Amino acid sequence: SEPVHLVWWMGCTTEAPTDWAEVEEVLNAYSAEKIGVTCEFKYMTGEQISRATQTGEYFDIAFTCDWYNDFATNVADGMFLDLTDKLENYPALKASVLDLAWAGSTVDGHIYAIPHMKDIGMEIFWILDSEYFLNEKGLEADHYISFDGIEEYLAMYKADYPDDYPYKMAKGGITSWENCLADWISMEYLIGLDWDAQGTDDELTVKSALEIPRWIERLKTIHSWYEKGYINPDAAVTESMGRAIAGVVQSGQGWFGAETIWSNARQKASYISRYDGPYMSTSSLRGSMTAVSSTTPYADEALKLIELMNTDAYYREVARYGIEGKHYVKNDDGTVTKTDLGNQNMSLWAYTQGHYTLGPVEASAFESVPADPDQWEKVFAGYADATLSAAMGFNYDLSPVMTECLAIAQIIQDYQYELYTGTSDPEEVIPEMLEKMYDVGLQNVKDELQSQLNAYMGK
């Protein structure tokens, strides 16, 4: 006679949106009537969810991917439920996912999560300030500027404003720049396949990123930008850099159409230019997924709620934007505009909740950057030209070499911030890093993963 109450772990950078309790109340009233299920959404940082996992904290549903609440590790540890057979009872949910996308959530032929329909092919963009480059300098928008080609724009701004920095960054460096340099087996340990080797005899050779030529060349380029004064000198010790206060050139992983979101985040009109992609791999397909706990007594109720999130436009809209009239308003063209209160109190990782493609597109606050309500059709059509990984569907097991991996991670941690911000010289640092990494077992890691990949490909 009472709704089943579930616990759903959601990802966030700091804490739940300020107005989430009010939004959750609206969601629960709707889901209780529709499917007899209510839910407590617990927003957790990566550190918090790791701690909750280690201590065995209860949950029914969880956000997972390859960069947060690690999917492969949790499957290996038995934390997620095998959904293969149960999904047959939820045809609407299964049909909402592109066939190709299931490769990311499948391990040894079994499905352990629901992939979210979003940008599933990696595309990396420059985000450029429209006021400076288009209005002040009179340039025309170029939507395909190479990684090296952006230097012309950095130099232009530095010449006009010598006391300022065109690329202001925090210690993480250029956002998402590394995503299309390797088909990552483990980004944490800088292990993967060289995208530039796809289509050659070397395409299935496991490498350290520090041995991939394009990775090295880009680090050298970033270092040259630092020396030329394009990057803020304190980048390596700056914890964070919000888009609204960063420079006239930024970077991000997205899609043609994401300029509206980035313009709103920067609070300045922006245009975008792709410099990498699209690339499609196991890692890209695991960019955002939802899994069910292997120990929940409410597996069917959990799948009903996941299905509601991914197929019911109203429920999805409220979860993403909040309460209509308070946090957002609907526009005549089918888009929505977030209110000031919505921007302040309902800021969240919307793509981690469920399908990004379901529900209305967020409008831009700038007339010069109009939102395209049909952008997702164009995004998925663009994947026809994507470079596909030769190792699609490969799942690794690091447990045989975890001791070596942890030692490698510490070495990377010691160097990465200065290396990624251009503060240190890669020609000096990379050989030093590699020597230390091989001393603690990098070759063992490569050999183990190569053996696993060879066995997978042999199947």
Side-chain angles (χ1 to χ4, degrees):
S1 61
E2 294 294 327
V4 171
H5 190 67
L6 305 179
V7 175
W8 190 330
W9 287 354
M10 285 289 185
C12 66
T13 51
T14 52
E15 57 190 18
T18 305
D19 288 353
W20 183 256
E22 183 181 359
V23 173
E24 186 177 289
E25 188 176 338
V26 174
L27 291 171
N28 282 338
Y30 185 78
S31 62
E33 181 178 348
K34 291 281 288 189
I35 60 172
V37 176
T38 58
C39 187
E40 176 190 359
F41 295 87
K42 296 188 70 173
Y43 284 85
M44 307 168 81
T45 65
E47 184 179 338
Q48 288 170 333
I49 207 167
S50 177
R51 187 162 55 248
T53 300
Q54 292 168 7
T55 58
E57 186 175 327
Y58 180 86
F59 75 97
D60 300 287
I61 308 171
F63 165 62
T64 181
C65 60
D66 68 335
W67 52 270
Y68 173 102
N69 195 24
D70 185 68
F71 173 74
T73 300
N74 290 331
V75 170
D77 290 344
M79 198 168 99
F80 294 154
L81 183 68
D82 182 349
L83 302 174
T84 313
D85 294 333
K86 281 188 172 294
L87 278 172
E88 298 304 318
N89 299 322
Y90 301 90
L93 176 59
K94 194 169 184 181
S96 71
V97 178
L98 288 177
D99 287 344
L100 175 65
W102 292 107
S105 63
T106 301
V107 178
D108 294 332
H110 296 266
I111 297 171
Y112 288 92
I114 311 300
H116 300 166
M117 290 295 88
K118 54 183 284 294
D119 49 317
I120 57 174
M122 291 182 293
E123 299 179 83
I124 316 300
F125 292 83
W126 296 122
I127 307 162
L128 298 108
D129 187 83
S130 296
E131 176 59 33
Y132 174 71
F133 291 113
L134 303 186
N135 299 340
E136 184 176 332
K137 302 303 293 185
L139 302 181
E140 292 185 3
D142 183 347
H143 297 298
Y144 297 93
I145 302 172
S146 68
F147 189 85
D148 293 336
I150 200 65
E151 180 160 353
E152 176 184 347
Y153 294 76
L154 299 172
M156 186 183 304
Y157 184 85
K158 190 66 178 179
D160 288 344
Y161 301 95
D163 295 331
D164 200 5
Y165 305 97
Y167 209 120
K168 298 174 184 174
M169 65 177 69
K171 64 183 185 180
I174 297 176
T175 304
S176 301
W177 72 280
E178 70 274 56
N179 287 2
C180 288
L181 292 174
D183 175 6
W184 293 108
I185 294 173
S186 173
M187 185 182 289
E188 183 177 2
Y189 308 120
L190 296 183
I191 297 288
L193 309 177
D194 185 353
W195 273 119
D196 287 340
Q198 295 296 297
T200 74
D201 293 340
D202 203 30
E203 66 181 1
L204 292 171
T205 300
V206 175
K207 299 178 181 179
S208 166
L210 298 176
E211 299 168 317
I212 293 177
R214 190 152 59 111
W215 174 278
I216 297 168
E217 288 307 310
R218 285 199 177 172
L219 287 172
K220 290 179 181 177
T221 299
I222 296 169
H223 178 57
S224 74
W225 293 347
Y226 182 87
E227 290 189 314
K228 292 171 183 175
Y230 302 153
I231 297 170
N232 48 305
D234 61 348
V237 294
T238 300
E239 286 295 324
S240 63
M241 179 72 69
R243 290 204 180 276
I245 61 173
V248 293
V249 176
Q250 298 177 23
S251 177
Q253 180 172 314
W255 58 92
F256 284 112
E259 60 267 34
T260 58
I261 298 173
W262 283 323
S263 292
N264 289 345
R266 294 185 70 245
Q267 299 173 26
K268 305 178 185 74
S270 311
Y271 68 103
I272 62 176
S273 173
R274 192 173 73 191
Y275 65 87
D276 270 332
Y279 293 93
M280 197 171 290
S281 65
T282 309
S283 176
S284 76
L285 295 178
R286 288 179 178 170
S288 183
M289 303 183 292
T290 297
V292 176
S293 169
S294 60
T295 60
T296 178
Y298 305 116
D300 285 304
E301 288 83 358
L303 282 168
K304 286 180 183 179
L305 188 61
I306 296 169
E307 185 173 60
L308 191 70
M309 180 70 84
N310 289 293
T311 61
D312 188 296
Y314 171 77
Y315 189 86
R316 183 74 190 91
E317 185 177 307
V318 173
R320 177 174 180 178
Y321 293 115
I323 298 170
E324 184 180 359
K326 180 175 183 177
H327 298 115
Y328 73 98
V329 294
K330 292 184 177 180
N331 303 315
D332 293 338
D333 63 357
T335 63
V336 304
T337 298
K338 294 177 72 171
T339 64
D340 289 341
L341 187 66
N343 282 319
Q344 293 170 11
N345 292 357
M346 269 299 289
S347 179
L348 43 73
W349 292 350
Y351 59 89
T352 67
Q353 299 172 322
H355 295 340
Y356 216 25
T357 56
L358 179 63
V361 171
E362 182 180 347
S364 165
F366 305 92
E367 290 185 9
S368 62
V369 193
D372 183 356
D374 301 319
Q375 64 178 260
W376 288 111
E377 294 177 20
K378 299 173 184 176
V379 169
F380 286 110
Y383 291 152
D385 297 324
T387 299
L388 295 179
S389 167
M392 186 72 80
F394 171 58
N395 296 283
Y396 58 85
D397 177 11
L398 290 173
S399 58
V401 287
M402 185 50 68
T403 299
E404 293 94 325
C405 285
L406 293 175
I408 289 168
Q410 185 58 58
I411 294 167
I412 295 170
Q413 177 76 21
D414 291 342
Y415 287 91
Q416 64 179 350
Y417 300 132
E418 291 196 351
L419 187 62
Y420 293 171
T421 57
T423 309
S424 61
D425 185 347
E427 293 201 64
E428 297 176 3
V429 168
I430 290 177
E432 191 175 313
M433 289 179 68
L434 282 172
E435 182 179 359
K436 291 182 178 181
M437 289 161 71
Y438 275 108
D439 285 345
V440 298
L442 175 58
Q443 190 61 52
N444 292 345
V445 176
K446 290 166 62 177
D447 290 346
E448 173 63 31
L449 293 172
Q450 189 69 64
S451 176
Q452 292 181 23
L453 179 57
N454 292 346
Y456 170 76
M457 297 306 296
K459 297 177 183 178

